[in-house]
mmCIF file with all atom_site columns, all heavy atoms in Angstrom:
data_model
loop_
_atom_site.group_PDB
_atom_site.id
_atom_site.type_symbol
_atom_site.label_atom_id
_atom_site.label_alt_id
_atom_site.label_comp_id
_atom_site.label_asym_id
_atom_site.label_entity_id
_atom_site.label_seq_id
_atom_site.pdbx_PDB_ins_code
_atom_site.Cartn_x
_atom_site.Cartn_y
_atom_site.Cartn_z
_atom_site.occupancy
_atom_site.B_iso_or_equiv
_atom_site.pdbx_formal_charge
_atom_site.auth_seq_id
_atom_site.auth_comp_id
_atom_site.auth_asym_id
_atom_site.auth_atom_id
_atom_site.pdbx_PDB_model_num
ATOM 1   N N   . LEU A 1 19 ? 92.316 246.619 68.990 1.00 0.00 ? 19 LEU A N   1
ATOM 2   C CA  . LEU A 1 19 ? 92.022 245.165 69.073 1.00 0.00 ? 19 LEU A CA  1
ATOM 3   C C   . LEU A 1 19 ? 90.777 244.993 70.010 1.00 0.00 ? 19 LEU A C   1
ATOM 4   O O   . LEU A 1 19 ? 89.885 244.161 69.662 1.00 0.00 ? 19 LEU A O   1
ATOM 5   C CB  . LEU A 1 19 ? 93.192 244.422 69.460 1.00 0.00 ? 19 LEU A CB  1
ATOM 6   C CG  . LEU A 1 19 ? 94.382 244.456 68.595 1.00 0.00 ? 19 LEU A CG  1
ATOM 7   C CD1 . LEU A 1 19 ? 95.544 243.665 69.216 1.00 0.00 ? 19 LEU A CD1 1
ATOM 8   C CD2 . LEU A 1 19 ? 94.072 243.914 67.206 1.00 0.00 ? 19 LEU A CD2 1
ATOM 9   N N   . GLU A 1 20 ? 90.759 245.636 71.131 1.00 0.00 ? 20 GLU A N   1
ATOM 10  C CA  . GLU A 1 20 ? 89.656 245.442 72.090 1.00 0.00 ? 20 GLU A CA  1
ATOM 11  C C   . GLU A 1 20 ? 88.338 245.982 71.519 1.00 0.00 ? 20 GLU A C   1
ATOM 12  O O   . GLU A 1 20 ? 87.304 245.418 71.647 1.00 0.00 ? 20 GLU A O   1
ATOM 13  C CB  . GLU A 1 20 ? 89.925 246.158 73.339 1.00 0.00 ? 20 GLU A CB  1
ATOM 14  C CG  . GLU A 1 20 ? 88.888 245.974 74.433 1.00 0.00 ? 20 GLU A CG  1
ATOM 15  C CD  . GLU A 1 20 ? 88.500 244.532 74.774 1.00 0.00 ? 20 GLU A CD  1
ATOM 16  O OE1 . GLU A 1 20 ? 89.294 243.615 74.643 1.00 0.00 ? 20 GLU A OE1 1
ATOM 17  O OE2 . GLU A 1 20 ? 87.297 244.278 75.029 1.00 0.00 ? 20 GLU A OE2 1
ATOM 18  N N   . ARG A 1 21 ? 88.387 247.105 70.718 1.00 0.00 ? 21 ARG A N   1
ATOM 19  C CA  . ARG A 1 21 ? 87.152 247.602 70.108 1.00 0.00 ? 21 ARG A CA  1
ATOM 20  C C   . ARG A 1 21 ? 86.651 246.657 69.128 1.00 0.00 ? 21 ARG A C   1
ATOM 21  O O   . ARG A 1 21 ? 85.399 246.426 69.080 1.00 0.00 ? 21 ARG A O   1
ATOM 22  C CB  . ARG A 1 21 ? 87.450 249.028 69.484 1.00 0.00 ? 21 ARG A CB  1
ATOM 23  C CG  . ARG A 1 21 ? 86.201 249.559 68.820 1.00 0.00 ? 21 ARG A CG  1
ATOM 24  C CD  . ARG A 1 21 ? 86.370 251.011 68.468 1.00 0.00 ? 21 ARG A CD  1
ATOM 25  N NE  . ARG A 1 21 ? 87.168 251.156 67.269 1.00 0.00 ? 21 ARG A NE  1
ATOM 26  C CZ  . ARG A 1 21 ? 87.651 252.393 66.917 1.00 0.00 ? 21 ARG A CZ  1
ATOM 27  N NH1 . ARG A 1 21 ? 87.415 253.484 67.642 1.00 0.00 ? 21 ARG A NH1 1
ATOM 28  N NH2 . ARG A 1 21 ? 88.399 252.445 65.844 1.00 0.00 ? 21 ARG A NH2 1
ATOM 29  N N   . PHE A 1 22 ? 87.488 245.993 68.290 1.00 0.00 ? 22 PHE A N   1
ATOM 30  C CA  . PHE A 1 22 ? 86.993 244.979 67.370 1.00 0.00 ? 22 PHE A CA  1
ATOM 31  C C   . PHE A 1 22 ? 86.417 243.862 68.130 1.00 0.00 ? 22 PHE A C   1
ATOM 32  O O   . PHE A 1 22 ? 85.324 243.336 67.805 1.00 0.00 ? 22 PHE A O   1
ATOM 33  C CB  . PHE A 1 22 ? 88.108 244.539 66.415 1.00 0.00 ? 22 PHE A CB  1
ATOM 34  C CG  . PHE A 1 22 ? 88.153 245.277 65.095 1.00 0.00 ? 22 PHE A CG  1
ATOM 35  C CD1 . PHE A 1 22 ? 89.058 246.375 65.017 1.00 0.00 ? 22 PHE A CD1 1
ATOM 36  C CD2 . PHE A 1 22 ? 87.403 244.960 64.078 1.00 0.00 ? 22 PHE A CD2 1
ATOM 37  C CE1 . PHE A 1 22 ? 89.080 247.144 63.818 1.00 0.00 ? 22 PHE A CE1 1
ATOM 38  C CE2 . PHE A 1 22 ? 87.376 245.726 62.908 1.00 0.00 ? 22 PHE A CE2 1
ATOM 39  C CZ  . PHE A 1 22 ? 88.221 246.786 62.753 1.00 0.00 ? 22 PHE A CZ  1
ATOM 40  N N   . ARG A 1 23 ? 87.211 243.383 69.128 1.00 0.00 ? 23 ARG A N   1
ATOM 41  C CA  . ARG A 1 23 ? 86.795 242.176 69.840 1.00 0.00 ? 23 ARG A CA  1
ATOM 42  C C   . ARG A 1 23 ? 85.356 242.395 70.529 1.00 0.00 ? 23 ARG A C   1
ATOM 43  O O   . ARG A 1 23 ? 84.485 241.475 70.494 1.00 0.00 ? 23 ARG A O   1
ATOM 44  C CB  . ARG A 1 23 ? 87.835 241.869 70.928 1.00 0.00 ? 23 ARG A CB  1
ATOM 45  C CG  . ARG A 1 23 ? 87.742 240.568 71.660 1.00 0.00 ? 23 ARG A CG  1
ATOM 46  C CD  . ARG A 1 23 ? 88.858 240.386 72.674 1.00 0.00 ? 23 ARG A CD  1
ATOM 47  N NE  . ARG A 1 23 ? 90.154 240.309 71.987 1.00 0.00 ? 23 ARG A NE  1
ATOM 48  C CZ  . ARG A 1 23 ? 91.174 241.188 72.114 1.00 0.00 ? 23 ARG A CZ  1
ATOM 49  N NH1 . ARG A 1 23 ? 91.046 242.191 72.906 1.00 0.00 ? 23 ARG A NH1 1
ATOM 50  N NH2 . ARG A 1 23 ? 92.292 240.994 71.437 1.00 0.00 ? 23 ARG A NH2 1
ATOM 51  N N   . SER A 1 24 ? 85.200 243.480 71.194 1.00 0.00 ? 24 SER A N   1
ATOM 52  C CA  . SER A 1 24 ? 84.059 243.686 72.065 1.00 0.00 ? 24 SER A CA  1
ATOM 53  C C   . SER A 1 24 ? 82.912 244.445 71.403 1.00 0.00 ? 24 SER A C   1
ATOM 54  O O   . SER A 1 24 ? 81.745 244.396 71.956 1.00 0.00 ? 24 SER A O   1
ATOM 55  C CB  . SER A 1 24 ? 84.466 244.351 73.400 1.00 0.00 ? 24 SER A CB  1
ATOM 56  O OG  . SER A 1 24 ? 84.895 245.662 73.107 1.00 0.00 ? 24 SER A OG  1
ATOM 57  N N   . THR A 1 25 ? 83.161 245.181 70.285 1.00 0.00 ? 25 THR A N   1
ATOM 58  C CA  . THR A 1 25 ? 82.153 246.051 69.767 1.00 0.00 ? 25 THR A CA  1
ATOM 59  C C   . THR A 1 25 ? 81.950 245.854 68.246 1.00 0.00 ? 25 THR A C   1
ATOM 60  O O   . THR A 1 25 ? 80.820 245.591 67.761 1.00 0.00 ? 25 THR A O   1
ATOM 61  C CB  . THR A 1 25 ? 82.460 247.572 70.064 1.00 0.00 ? 25 THR A CB  1
ATOM 62  O OG1 . THR A 1 25 ? 82.683 247.705 71.436 1.00 0.00 ? 25 THR A OG1 1
ATOM 63  C CG2 . THR A 1 25 ? 81.449 248.490 69.579 1.00 0.00 ? 25 THR A CG2 1
ATOM 64  N N   . THR A 1 26 ? 82.976 246.112 67.465 1.00 0.00 ? 26 THR A N   1
ATOM 65  C CA  . THR A 1 26 ? 82.902 246.178 66.050 1.00 0.00 ? 26 THR A CA  1
ATOM 66  C C   . THR A 1 26 ? 82.318 244.888 65.393 1.00 0.00 ? 26 THR A C   1
ATOM 67  O O   . THR A 1 26 ? 81.459 244.906 64.523 1.00 0.00 ? 26 THR A O   1
ATOM 68  C CB  . THR A 1 26 ? 84.295 246.485 65.360 1.00 0.00 ? 26 THR A CB  1
ATOM 69  O OG1 . THR A 1 26 ? 84.790 247.647 66.015 1.00 0.00 ? 26 THR A OG1 1
ATOM 70  C CG2 . THR A 1 26 ? 84.132 246.739 63.936 1.00 0.00 ? 26 THR A CG2 1
ATOM 71  N N   . LEU A 1 27 ? 82.830 243.713 65.902 1.00 0.00 ? 27 LEU A N   1
ATOM 72  C CA  . LEU A 1 27 ? 82.374 242.500 65.310 1.00 0.00 ? 27 LEU A CA  1
ATOM 73  C C   . LEU A 1 27 ? 80.924 242.224 65.488 1.00 0.00 ? 27 LEU A C   1
ATOM 74  O O   . LEU A 1 27 ? 80.292 241.633 64.671 1.00 0.00 ? 27 LEU A O   1
ATOM 75  C CB  . LEU A 1 27 ? 83.206 241.279 65.858 1.00 0.00 ? 27 LEU A CB  1
ATOM 76  C CG  . LEU A 1 27 ? 84.675 241.284 65.398 1.00 0.00 ? 27 LEU A CG  1
ATOM 77  C CD1 . LEU A 1 27 ? 85.425 240.110 66.007 1.00 0.00 ? 27 LEU A CD1 1
ATOM 78  C CD2 . LEU A 1 27 ? 84.777 241.257 63.887 1.00 0.00 ? 27 LEU A CD2 1
ATOM 79  N N   . GLY A 1 28 ? 80.294 242.655 66.563 1.00 0.00 ? 28 GLY A N   1
ATOM 80  C CA  . GLY A 1 28 ? 78.856 242.654 66.717 1.00 0.00 ? 28 GLY A CA  1
ATOM 81  C C   . GLY A 1 28 ? 78.117 243.473 65.656 1.00 0.00 ? 28 GLY A C   1
ATOM 82  O O   . GLY A 1 28 ? 77.105 243.017 65.155 1.00 0.00 ? 28 GLY A O   1
ATOM 83  N N   . PHE A 1 29 ? 78.637 244.617 65.339 1.00 0.00 ? 29 PHE A N   1
ATOM 84  C CA  . PHE A 1 29 ? 78.030 245.421 64.319 1.00 0.00 ? 29 PHE A CA  1
ATOM 85  C C   . PHE A 1 29 ? 78.268 244.747 62.918 1.00 0.00 ? 29 PHE A C   1
ATOM 86  O O   . PHE A 1 29 ? 77.309 244.785 62.074 1.00 0.00 ? 29 PHE A O   1
ATOM 87  C CB  . PHE A 1 29 ? 78.589 246.846 64.326 1.00 0.00 ? 29 PHE A CB  1
ATOM 88  C CG  . PHE A 1 29 ? 78.091 247.732 65.430 1.00 0.00 ? 29 PHE A CG  1
ATOM 89  C CD1 . PHE A 1 29 ? 78.742 247.876 66.578 1.00 0.00 ? 29 PHE A CD1 1
ATOM 90  C CD2 . PHE A 1 29 ? 76.775 248.241 65.293 1.00 0.00 ? 29 PHE A CD2 1
ATOM 91  C CE1 . PHE A 1 29 ? 78.264 248.626 67.633 1.00 0.00 ? 29 PHE A CE1 1
ATOM 92  C CE2 . PHE A 1 29 ? 76.252 249.078 66.296 1.00 0.00 ? 29 PHE A CE2 1
ATOM 93  C CZ  . PHE A 1 29 ? 77.031 249.244 67.537 1.00 0.00 ? 29 PHE A CZ  1
ATOM 94  N N   . PHE A 1 30 ? 79.427 244.151 62.733 1.00 0.00 ? 30 PHE A N   1
ATOM 95  C CA  . PHE A 1 30 ? 79.619 243.464 61.446 1.00 0.00 ? 30 PHE A CA  1
ATOM 96  C C   . PHE A 1 30 ? 78.562 242.385 61.298 1.00 0.00 ? 30 PHE A C   1
ATOM 97  O O   . PHE A 1 30 ? 77.924 242.188 60.227 1.00 0.00 ? 30 PHE A O   1
ATOM 98  C CB  . PHE A 1 30 ? 80.997 242.765 61.404 1.00 0.00 ? 30 PHE A CB  1
ATOM 99  C CG  . PHE A 1 30 ? 82.101 243.714 61.038 1.00 0.00 ? 30 PHE A CG  1
ATOM 100 C CD1 . PHE A 1 30 ? 81.967 245.081 60.856 1.00 0.00 ? 30 PHE A CD1 1
ATOM 101 C CD2 . PHE A 1 30 ? 83.417 243.174 60.731 1.00 0.00 ? 30 PHE A CD2 1
ATOM 102 C CE1 . PHE A 1 30 ? 83.016 245.938 60.560 1.00 0.00 ? 30 PHE A CE1 1
ATOM 103 C CE2 . PHE A 1 30 ? 84.457 244.016 60.397 1.00 0.00 ? 30 PHE A CE2 1
ATOM 104 C CZ  . PHE A 1 30 ? 84.245 245.382 60.288 1.00 0.00 ? 30 PHE A CZ  1
ATOM 105 N N   . GLN A 1 31 ? 78.293 241.646 62.348 1.00 0.00 ? 31 GLN A N   1
ATOM 106 C CA  . GLN A 1 31 ? 77.303 240.556 62.359 1.00 0.00 ? 31 GLN A CA  1
ATOM 107 C C   . GLN A 1 31 ? 75.856 241.146 62.066 1.00 0.00 ? 31 GLN A C   1
ATOM 108 O O   . GLN A 1 31 ? 75.126 240.614 61.160 1.00 0.00 ? 31 GLN A O   1
ATOM 109 C CB  . GLN A 1 31 ? 77.284 239.746 63.617 1.00 0.00 ? 31 GLN A CB  1
ATOM 110 C CG  . GLN A 1 31 ? 76.306 238.597 63.638 1.00 0.00 ? 31 GLN A CG  1
ATOM 111 C CD  . GLN A 1 31 ? 76.448 237.754 64.880 1.00 0.00 ? 31 GLN A CD  1
ATOM 112 O OE1 . GLN A 1 31 ? 77.094 238.146 65.863 1.00 0.00 ? 31 GLN A OE1 1
ATOM 113 N NE2 . GLN A 1 31 ? 75.737 236.648 64.911 1.00 0.00 ? 31 GLN A NE2 1
ATOM 114 N N   . LYS A 1 32 ? 75.547 242.173 62.669 1.00 0.00 ? 32 LYS A N   1
ATOM 115 C CA  . LYS A 1 32 ? 74.281 242.892 62.569 1.00 0.00 ? 32 LYS A CA  1
ATOM 116 C C   . LYS A 1 32 ? 74.032 243.230 61.112 1.00 0.00 ? 32 LYS A C   1
ATOM 117 O O   . LYS A 1 32 ? 72.921 243.095 60.575 1.00 0.00 ? 32 LYS A O   1
ATOM 118 C CB  . LYS A 1 32 ? 74.212 244.189 63.383 1.00 0.00 ? 32 LYS A CB  1
ATOM 119 C CG  . LYS A 1 32 ? 72.984 244.971 63.188 1.00 0.00 ? 32 LYS A CG  1
ATOM 120 C CD  . LYS A 1 32 ? 73.009 246.177 64.158 1.00 0.00 ? 32 LYS A CD  1
ATOM 121 C CE  . LYS A 1 32 ? 71.737 247.057 63.974 1.00 0.00 ? 32 LYS A CE  1
ATOM 122 N NZ  . LYS A 1 32 ? 71.787 248.234 64.918 1.00 0.00 ? 32 LYS A NZ  1
ATOM 123 N N   . TYR A 1 33 ? 75.070 243.712 60.383 1.00 0.00 ? 33 TYR A N   1
ATOM 124 C CA  . TYR A 1 33 ? 74.923 244.175 59.002 1.00 0.00 ? 33 TYR A CA  1
ATOM 125 C C   . TYR A 1 33 ? 75.354 243.125 57.887 1.00 0.00 ? 33 TYR A C   1
ATOM 126 O O   . TYR A 1 33 ? 75.481 243.485 56.786 1.00 0.00 ? 33 TYR A O   1
ATOM 127 C CB  . TYR A 1 33 ? 75.632 245.447 58.845 1.00 0.00 ? 33 TYR A CB  1
ATOM 128 C CG  . TYR A 1 33 ? 74.968 246.597 59.547 1.00 0.00 ? 33 TYR A CG  1
ATOM 129 C CD1 . TYR A 1 33 ? 75.400 247.064 60.771 1.00 0.00 ? 33 TYR A CD1 1
ATOM 130 C CD2 . TYR A 1 33 ? 73.769 247.169 59.003 1.00 0.00 ? 33 TYR A CD2 1
ATOM 131 C CE1 . TYR A 1 33 ? 74.687 248.017 61.462 1.00 0.00 ? 33 TYR A CE1 1
ATOM 132 C CE2 . TYR A 1 33 ? 73.094 248.192 59.672 1.00 0.00 ? 33 TYR A CE2 1
ATOM 133 C CZ  . TYR A 1 33 ? 73.560 248.587 60.915 1.00 0.00 ? 33 TYR A CZ  1
ATOM 134 O OH  . TYR A 1 33 ? 72.831 249.508 61.642 1.00 0.00 ? 33 TYR A OH  1
ATOM 135 N N   . GLY A 1 34 ? 75.681 241.906 58.357 1.00 0.00 ? 34 GLY A N   1
ATOM 136 C CA  . GLY A 1 34 ? 75.998 240.877 57.410 1.00 0.00 ? 34 GLY A CA  1
ATOM 137 C C   . GLY A 1 34 ? 77.397 241.140 56.709 1.00 0.00 ? 34 GLY A C   1
ATOM 138 O O   . GLY A 1 34 ? 77.584 240.745 55.597 1.00 0.00 ? 34 GLY A O   1
ATOM 139 N N   . ILE A 1 35 ? 78.257 241.793 57.511 1.00 0.00 ? 35 ILE A N   1
ATOM 140 C CA  . ILE A 1 35 ? 79.699 241.979 56.972 1.00 0.00 ? 35 ILE A CA  1
ATOM 141 C C   . ILE A 1 35 ? 80.478 240.747 57.329 1.00 0.00 ? 35 ILE A C   1
ATOM 142 O O   . ILE A 1 35 ? 80.709 240.467 58.529 1.00 0.00 ? 35 ILE A O   1
ATOM 143 C CB  . ILE A 1 35 ? 80.271 243.273 57.549 1.00 0.00 ? 35 ILE A CB  1
ATOM 144 C CG1 . ILE A 1 35 ? 79.396 244.462 57.057 1.00 0.00 ? 35 ILE A CG1 1
ATOM 145 C CG2 . ILE A 1 35 ? 81.690 243.442 57.110 1.00 0.00 ? 35 ILE A CG2 1
ATOM 146 C CD1 . ILE A 1 35 ? 79.744 245.798 57.741 1.00 0.00 ? 35 ILE A CD1 1
ATOM 147 N N   . GLU A 1 36 ? 80.967 240.005 56.339 1.00 0.00 ? 36 GLU A N   1
ATOM 148 C CA  . GLU A 1 36 ? 81.658 238.748 56.476 1.00 0.00 ? 36 GLU A CA  1
ATOM 149 C C   . GLU A 1 36 ? 83.148 238.963 56.533 1.00 0.00 ? 36 GLU A C   1
ATOM 150 O O   . GLU A 1 36 ? 83.761 239.380 55.543 1.00 0.00 ? 36 GLU A O   1
ATOM 151 C CB  . GLU A 1 36 ? 81.225 237.720 55.456 1.00 0.00 ? 36 GLU A CB  1
ATOM 152 C CG  . GLU A 1 36 ? 81.820 236.409 55.646 1.00 0.00 ? 36 GLU A CG  1
ATOM 153 C CD  . GLU A 1 36 ? 81.419 235.427 54.558 1.00 0.00 ? 36 GLU A CD  1
ATOM 154 O OE1 . GLU A 1 36 ? 80.428 235.663 53.723 1.00 0.00 ? 36 GLU A OE1 1
ATOM 155 O OE2 . GLU A 1 36 ? 82.026 234.388 54.441 1.00 0.00 ? 36 GLU A OE2 1
#
Side-chain angles (χ1 to χ4, degrees):
L19 298 176
E20 182 55 31
R21 182 167 73 191
F22 269 95
R23 189 179 296 114
S24 65
T25 305
T26 309
L27 291 178
F29 285 98
F30 279 11
Q31 184 175 7
K32 176 179 178 180
Y33 289 101
I35 297 172
E36 184 180 346

